[in-house]
Amino acid sequence: IYYTIKFSTGGVERMQISNSGVTGTGISNGKILQVITNSGSSNITTSGGAKSDLTNVSITPASASNKVLLIASCTLFNTASGNSYGGAYLHRGTSSDTVIYTAISGFGTATDIYFPFALTLVDSPNTTSAQTYTFSFSRQSVSTTSVSTNSNNYSLTALEIAA
């Protein structure tokens, strides 16, 4: 099975990724030079306000002008005594380094609930040095007792795209 991912801005398609490669506005050759994926399904729980790491990947761009497409996904289970909110994050570096993307989801009552997260970001690291990206999560409300992966799958993929 092959899937096609399309990205649009202002109602105009800008980029498409398929099993044939990458095409789109501002992408000269549309070549994916490397793909790094890390995934898991262990049960990771956080009950405080700190972030817990899900997984990370390291990628070394061949050119400083190349882009890195990050695709991350997970499903978090929130246990709540009040408002139930969780967050997912992408970091350049470790989870104590720069946050480059944040997604927060919640429910305004005391409901234990699953939240799916799908994060997609094109990063411009502007370097040929190895770059580490970390995918993490945390609770977003003091009424949220804990947030866990509940042994659901999670993954982070980095694709280097030729400029």
Side-chain angles (χ1 to χ4, degrees):
I1 298 176
Y2 296 105
Y3 296 98
T4 299
I5 302 170
K6 296 181 179 185
F7 298 90
S8 299
T9 59
V12 177
E13 184 180 309
R14 305 292 182 183
M15 183 170 82
Q16 182 181 110
I17 303 171
S18 69
N19 62 316
S20 302
V22 179
T23 58
T25 305
I27 299 173
S28 57
N29 294 328
K31 292 183 181 177
I32 296 176
L33 302 178
Q34 59 178 317
V35 178
I36 311 293
T37 297
N38 201 353
S39 62
S41 62
S42 59
N43 189 21
I44 303 169
T45 302
T46 185
S47 56
K51 294 176 187 163
S52 292
D53 291 351
L54 291 169
T55 190
N56 62 48
V57 296
S58 272
I59 191 166
T60 305
S63 169
S65 60
N66 290 350
K67 308 292 184 205
V68 177
L69 173 63
L70 299 165
I71 303 170
S73 67
C74 69
T75 298
L76 300 177
F77 179 70
N78 289 8
T79 305
S81 60
N83 295 332
S84 182
Y85 288 88
Y89 311 88
L90 287 173
H91 306 265
R92 188 181 302 123
T94 68
S95 55
S96 61
D97 289 326
T98 304
V99 175
I100 56 176
Y101 193 90
T102 301
I104 297 172
S105 191
F107 195 70
T109 63
T111 302
D112 295 349
I113 192 166
Y114 285 94
F115 291 109
F117 287 92
L119 290 70
T120 305
L121 175 75
V122 176
D123 189 37
S124 301
N126 298 317
T127 185
T128 56
S129 298
Q131 295 295 297
T132 297
Y133 295 96
T134 303
F135 185 30
S136 67
F137 72 99
S138 74
R139 72 179 189 155
Q140 290 294 309
S141 164
V142 294
S143 299
T144 303
T145 309
S146 67
V147 179
S148 75
T149 58
N150 205 27
S151 297
N152 289 306
N153 294 328
Y154 49 86
S155 67
L156 175 58
T157 301
L159 299 92
E160 180 186 4
I161 301 172

